[in-house]
Amino acid sequence: MNKKSGREKDEALRESFAEIKKAARELSGEKAEKLPEKAEKKPSEKTPEKKSGAKKNAAGKTAAKTGKEKSAEKAEKSAPKVKLCFEFFGRKIDEEDVRKRAMQAAAKVKPGAKRVEIYIVADQNAAYFVVDGVGSADYRIEL
């Protein structure tokens, strides 16, 4: 009976992960559709032309910054620092702590993983993680 309930839990977790992944894909699909609309802005005649990102270094050679580098610099300067905490069932859970523990556990499961997804399940007082799209009931962190 214990094995069966364990199998049932594994199957329920797989279904839950599949639903969460599907919802995440749908959300990311909506965002991806919205982004090109913003990028299609045409410069008006009143706006002055922007200078190129080229700069001369000490040797007199030009070094151009890529758009990614520029946007990364802007994001670092303008983005506020965020601290995320979860409170449920009278407990306070720090997102950074859960993230660090999940990353350590994922590194043990698959060193050099490209993507780790973390799911907090409040009623089970646990967080589950998925490593490169592969999840298991064993990939669990007690909160």
Side-chain angles (χ1 to χ4, degrees):
M1 189 163 152
N2 240 352
K3 289 182 181 180
K4 187 175 184 181
S5 64
R7 288 181 191 157
E8 290 172 356
K9 286 181 183 178
D10 285 348
E11 185 61 34
L13 279 173
R14 285 188 192 107
E15 289 174 8
S16 177
F17 285 147
E19 290 172 10
I20 292 170
K21 285 181 184 179
K22 182 180 176 183
R25 277 189 225 115
E26 289 174 359
L27 272 175
S28 65
E30 289 175 14
K31 288 180 182 176
E33 290 173 6
K34 291 179 183 178
L35 289 177
E37 293 174 10
K38 292 179 182 177
E40 291 178 11
K41 289 183 180 179
K42 296 180 182 177
S44 66
E45 293 176 12
K46 295 179 183 179
T47 57
E49 291 184 24
K50 294 182 180 180
K51 296 179 182 177
S52 69
K55 292 184 179 181
K56 290 190 177 186
N57 61 16
K61 298 178 182 177
T62 58
K65 289 187 177 182
T66 64
K68 287 182 181 180
E69 290 173 342
K70 288 179 185 177
S71 63
E73 285 178 6
K74 286 181 183 178
E76 287 177 13
K77 291 178 183 176
S78 64
K81 186 170 181 170
V82 177
K83 180 170 174 78
L84 180 62
C85 294
F86 301 95
E87 289 187 4
F88 51 86
F89 304 126
R91 297 188 62 203
K92 183 176 178 181
I93 307 299
D94 183 34
E95 178 263 344
E96 285 184 36
D97 179 52
V98 174
R99 180 188 305 243
K100 285 178 186 176
R101 290 172 53 200
M103 294 303 289
Q104 288 172 349
K108 290 178 184 176
V109 171
K110 184 177 180 185
K114 302 252 186 240
R115 183 177 175 98
V116 177
E117 300 168 31
I118 304 168
Y119 301 92
I120 295 176
V121 183
D123 61 342
Q124 294 180 9
N125 199 34
Y128 293 90
F129 59 94
V130 176
V131 181
D132 290 337
V134 179
S136 170
D138 295 333
Y139 299 174
R140 175 185 170 113
I141 300 167
E142 293 292 325
L143 300 177

